Amino acid sequence: MCHNPLPQTHKDQLLALFDWLVPVTLRFVRREIKEASGTLDSNLVTTLMRNITSLTSHLAVSVACSSSVRICSDWLSLACAVQDQQVVDGMQPAQVLQHLECTFVFAAVWSLGGTGSGNADRVMFEQFFRHALTSTLPDYTGPSGER
């Protein structure tokens, strides 16, 4: 069993989420968050993409591979993949998109916001990200006073 990439509607939704949240979040992280270990924007975005890929692999369309045969050494992971595919197949398209959005938010919090050096940084990130998700950033003033 091979997995095709996500359907185009899912890709479009992910791209919209990236365009909406990633630039402003990276700007906030650079200006307001003291990182435990220095990072590059590209590394944070790569981590975000890897997390999303990992968390959405069950949304990919399963098809039989005709060009190659893959041997599954772990029957449990194959059973879980089949079970996940059955759950996804039973979901309405709106539910799948909502699941994708929630997965993106989860991955963004841990990949972009998880670099803070202390609890205070995490609290600042949480406040910022809640404003970003509810589209109330114009009302938000960062700890440095920047709007």
Side-chain angles (χ1 to χ4, degrees), residues 120-133:
D121 292 314
R122 292 182 189 99
V123 170
M124 285 190 300
F125 182 83
E126 176 195 3
Q127 292 170 352
F128 161 79
F129 208 64
R130 285 181 185 269
H131 280 279
L133 290 175

Side-chain angles (χ1 to χ4, degrees), residues 41-147:
D41 290 352
S42 60
N43 293 50
L44 295 178
V45 174
T46 299
T47 302
L48 174 60
M49 290 187 292
R50 287 180 178 162
N51 284 340
I52 290 171
T53 299
S54 174
L55 293 168
T56 60
S57 62
H58 64 285
L59 295 176
V61 180
S62 296
V63 295
C65 287
S66 58
S67 61
S68 65
V69 176
R70 296 188 182 189
I71 298 172
C72 180
S73 60
D74 183 2
W75 65 270
L76 184 59
S77 65
L78 179 60
C80 289
V82 170
Q83 183 180 9
D84 283 348
Q85 189 63 44
Q86 290 169 346
V87 170
V88 170
D89 289 344
M91 294 171 74
Q92 297 295 322
Q95 290 174 308
V96 175
L97 287 176
Q98 183 180 22
H99 176 71
L100 190 63
E101 290 172 0
C102 292
T103 301
F104 177 88
V105 169
F106 177 84
V109 165
W110 283 103
S111 59
L112 303 176
T115 63
S117 64
N119 198 40
D121 292 314
R122 292 182 189 99
V123 170
M124 285 190 300
F125 182 83
E126 176 195 3
Q127 292 170 352
F128 161 79
F129 208 64
R130 285 181 185 269
H131 280 279
L133 290 175
T134 58
S135 299
T136 58
L137 277 180
D139 301 332
Y140 177 75
T141 302
S144 67
E146 183 181 4
R147 293 188 72 91

